[in-house]
Amino acid sequence: MTVKARIERIGEFVDQEVVLEGWLWNKRSSGKIAFLNFRDGSGFIQCVVVKQDVPEELFDLAKGLSQESSIRVTGIVRKEERSQIGYELTVTNIEVVSRTEDYPITPKEHGVDFLLDHRHLWIRSPRQRAILKIRAEVIKGMRAFFDENGFTQVDPPILTPSSAEGTTNMFETEYVNGENAYLSQSGQLYMEAAAMALGRVYSFGPTFRAEKSKTRKHMNEFWMIEPEMAYVEHKENLQIQEALVKYTIKHILDHCPTELKVLERDTAPLERVVAEKFPIITYAEAVKILQEKGHDFPYGEDFGAPHETELTNHFDLPVFVEKWPANIKAFYMQPDPENPDVILGADLLAPEGYGEIVGGSERIHDYELMKERFAQENFDDSYNWYLELRQYGSVPHSGFGIGLERTIAWICGIDHIRETIMIPRTLYRLYP
Ligand code: 4AD
Ligand code: MG
């Protein structure tokens, strides 16, 4: 009996007859030979049908197949140096599972709106498949880092009674008992509770922000990994972030060479990230650099995309910008004892123009100071539990959030984060 094989492990079947189950991606043919570019989800392989070696019906069938027809292809696996994967298939039989006519996404160029309207089909393309594959590996790599370093995964709630990152961008819904509920903007506040129970924890889940931003870096639904660590202070927080980013990039360089090739990603800048120490500058130093480069940028404002790009081009490596003015950052950030107007937190800016991928800080652990912040923020009872964390066994602790899609866009070297998730949720799009 012929064995079933998958393209990703085709090298185990050289000179054997196998059956591959998948779809026709595209095809070239002449009077004597047909080349089927076939995909099975695990990869792409060229299948060769030689007229003089097969029954006439089989050659005619192969020549007549249209793009995205689903087929089972039987053939002998051959080593082939010229192939990107190193193998091709000499076809002995084809079984048509279903025929496809007029597949909308042809090899010609399509506009991005057309592609996004057909996102459910677009993900079959080699580039999109490569990105989704890298996404899965980024998640695997990050989990491996945390699991190897003593972190426990904890899942905070998605439906919440209050805001974690400011009230201006919350998706609101009515809870079953009639109360207002909001989709989570960040699991952080709950992860702080988890850190006091388990020491080092991380969450990995969807995040919702109803912001009306139409940029290459914003989505309304994205995924965030949020570690939180008891007895870790600001400096060590940055060391852990740097180690995580290096580990993740190395994991992708090791596990996704084919996908990076499909994306034509220059890997030299990524190799630099693994090898070199990330610079750390203060917000005040960053402002100075911007002003020296001719930006009319006042101390005390948040960076826009051109400022982030300028800063990362200046260093050509991921750069930490630490000690931001307290009044433009979140209420929970620990003030710097040397200058309480700035906080012990940092953003990590990715190079090559990708900008902020991580936001993190040491958290206020002093009960009285947190009570003051609560008063300034006019918090209601729904935050009482968070204040109690400072009443019972409070310790210095820190954490951060790394945006999955922004990290993937950077690793893949692609223009827009909407391609880093299967079905993107952006300002004007809730379809498909
Ligand atoms: O900087 P942010 O808002 O930080 C927090 O939510 C903290 N509570 C995290 C923590 O300390 N536990 O978001 C963290 C990261 C950003 O650096 C960015 O990578 C990503 O989440 N992010 C977005 N990604 C895509 N679309 C958006 N609209 C995003 N907003 C933030
Ligand atoms: Mg941020």
Side-chain angles (χ1 to χ4, degrees):
M1 215 188 75
T2 314
V3 293
K4 270 197 198 188
R6 296 197 86 210
I7 295 167
E8 65 185 345
R9 301 185 66 171
I10 204 74
E12 296 168 18
F13 300 93
V14 177
D15 297 329
Q16 290 180 45
E17 190 173 63
V18 297
V19 56
L20 298 177
E21 299 177 309
W23 301 263
L24 180 70
W25 176 244
N26 63 41
K27 167 195 81 185
R28 286 181 294 128
S29 58
S30 69
K32 291 185 185 140
I33 193 160
F35 297 102
L36 310 181
N37 185 354
F38 173 88
R39 62 177 192 89
D40 73 348
S42 80
F44 289 74
I45 191 170
Q46 174 158 280
C47 302
V48 186
V49 194
V50 182
K51 184 171 183 182
Q52 65 177 33
D53 296 343
V54 298
E56 204 173 322
E57 311 86 73
L58 177 56
F59 188 73
D60 292 343
L61 172 81
K63 271 194 79 164
L65 282 175
S66 53
Q67 190 187 357
E68 281 306 301
S69 288
S70 11
I71 48 180
R72 288 197 182 90
V73 184
T74 307
I76 318 283
V77 179
R78 309 277 189 211
K79 262 205 151 116
E80 173 52 66
E81 305 235 307
R82 286 165 297 178
S83 149
Q84 201 179 40
I85 62 164
Y87 306 96
E88 64 176 31
L89 196 79
T90 303
V91 176
T92 54
N93 194 26
I94 295 173
E95 178 197 338
V96 176
V97 177
S98 80
R99 283 185 186 277
T100 290
E101 302 300 335
D102 305 321
Y103 185 67
I105 303 181
T106 58
K108 72 164 194 183
E109 291 269 310
H110 295 284
V112 73
D113 272 323
F114 178 87
L115 289 170
L116 286 168
D117 284 339
H118 295 85
R119 181 68 181 163
H120 49 295
L121 302 176
W122 186 22
I123 52 177
R124 301 179 187 189
S125 312
R127 279 181 61 84
Q128 299 307 315
R129 181 197 166 275
I131 296 167
L132 291 179
K133 203 72 194 168
I134 287 175
R135 179 184 173 103
E137 284 297 335
V138 167
I139 295 170
K140 256 202 229 175
M142 287 188 177
R143 280 191 188 285
F145 174 84
F146 290 119
D147 296 342
E148 286 167 21
N149 285 285
F151 287 73
T152 303
Q153 193 205 315
V154 173
D155 306 310
I158 304 237
L159 287 166
T160 62
S162 49
S163 144
E165 290 292 315
T167 49
T168 53
N169 61 10
M170 303 206 291
F171 278 103
E172 192 175 330
T173 180
E174 191 187 322
Y175 198 59
V176 277
N177 66 357
E179 277 183 65
N180 284 342
Y182 308 94
L183 297 184
S184 173
Q185 300 169 302
S186 160
Q188 178 198 319
L189 306 189
Y190 294 101
M191 295 310 288
E192 290 183 53
M196 298 307 137
L198 293 139
R200 291 181 166 210
V201 292
Y202 71 100
S203 66
F204 175 67
T207 304
F208 305 90
R209 306 235 173 137
E211 53 204 351
K212 300 228 155 96
S213 309
K214 192 179 182 300
T215 78
R216 300 185 293 129
K217 298 175 187 169
H218 287 88
M219 290 197 297
N220 298 102
E221 177 180 315
F222 62 96
W223 288 64
M224 191 157 50
I225 296 90
E226 294 187 279
E228 198 68 34
M229 299 147 292
Y231 290 105
V232 165
E233 297 178 25
H234 174 60
K235 266 213 179 92
E236 196 184 350
N237 193 20
L238 302 195
Q239 287 161 3
I240 292 167
Q241 292 171 40
E242 178 167 348
L244 166 70
V245 171
K246 286 188 152 89
Y247 186 103
T248 306
I249 302 272
K250 172 130 196 343
H251 181 88
I252 295 302
L253 290 170
D254 290 347
H255 291 85
C256 300
T258 313
E259 284 75 20
L260 292 168
K261 232 181 266 165
V262 169
L263 296 170
E264 296 170 339
R265 177 60 160 118
D266 176 7
T267 53
L270 298 178
E271 275 150 20
R272 248 168 74 71
V273 170
V274 177
E276 290 185 39
K277 172 112 194 59
F278 299 178
I280 304 175
I281 59 171
T282 63
Y283 170 86
E285 285 163 347
V287 170
K288 215 157 147 216
I289 292 172
L290 290 174
Q291 290 169 347
E292 278 164 13
K293 300 232 173 210
H295 292 264
D296 179 19
F297 187 88
Y299 184 97
E301 269 181 29
D302 201 355
F303 301 139
H307 310 119
E308 288 185 349
T309 307
E310 185 80 82
L311 288 169
T312 55
N313 286 344
H314 185 76
F315 291 98
D316 217 14
L317 274 173
V319 53
F320 287 109
V321 180
E322 64 169 9
K323 303 194 176 180
W324 292 66
N327 61 352
I328 57 168
K329 286 291 188 190
F331 74 92
Y332 50 71
M333 294 191 181
Q334 174 74 23
D336 182 357
E338 285 166 20
N339 172 12
D341 292 339
V342 302
I343 49 87
L344 293 179
D347 283 2
L348 179 63
L349 309 182
E352 302 174 75
Y354 285 92
E356 182 196 331
I357 54 167
V358 182
S361 76
E362 188 172 329
R363 324 300 191 189
I364 292 175
H365 65 280
D366 180 72
Y367 177 65
E368 293 301 328
L369 181 56
M370 187 56 93
K371 242 176 43 181
E372 256 175 57
R373 290 284 190 276
F374 267 48
Q376 287 159 0
E377 300 279 331
N378 282 320
F379 282 165
D380 62 25
D381 294 350
S382 65
Y383 290 89
N384 284 355
W385 65 271
Y386 186 71
L387 197 55
E388 280 182 20
L389 300 177
R390 275 75 187 163
Q391 247 173 319
Y392 307 118
S394 189
V395 299
H397 62 287
S398 303
F400 61 94
I402 180 163
L404 183 64
E405 287 77 12
R406 287 192 194 170
T407 306
I408 297 166
W410 165 44
I411 293 174
C412 292
I414 58 178
D415 287 343
H416 201 296
I417 66 168
R418 64 188 161 212
E419 288 179 40
T420 62
I421 191 163
M422 177 173 68
I423 305 288
R425 292 290 173 244
T426 50
L427 184 51
Y428 296 115
R429 185 168 283 282
L430 194 58
Y431 178 89

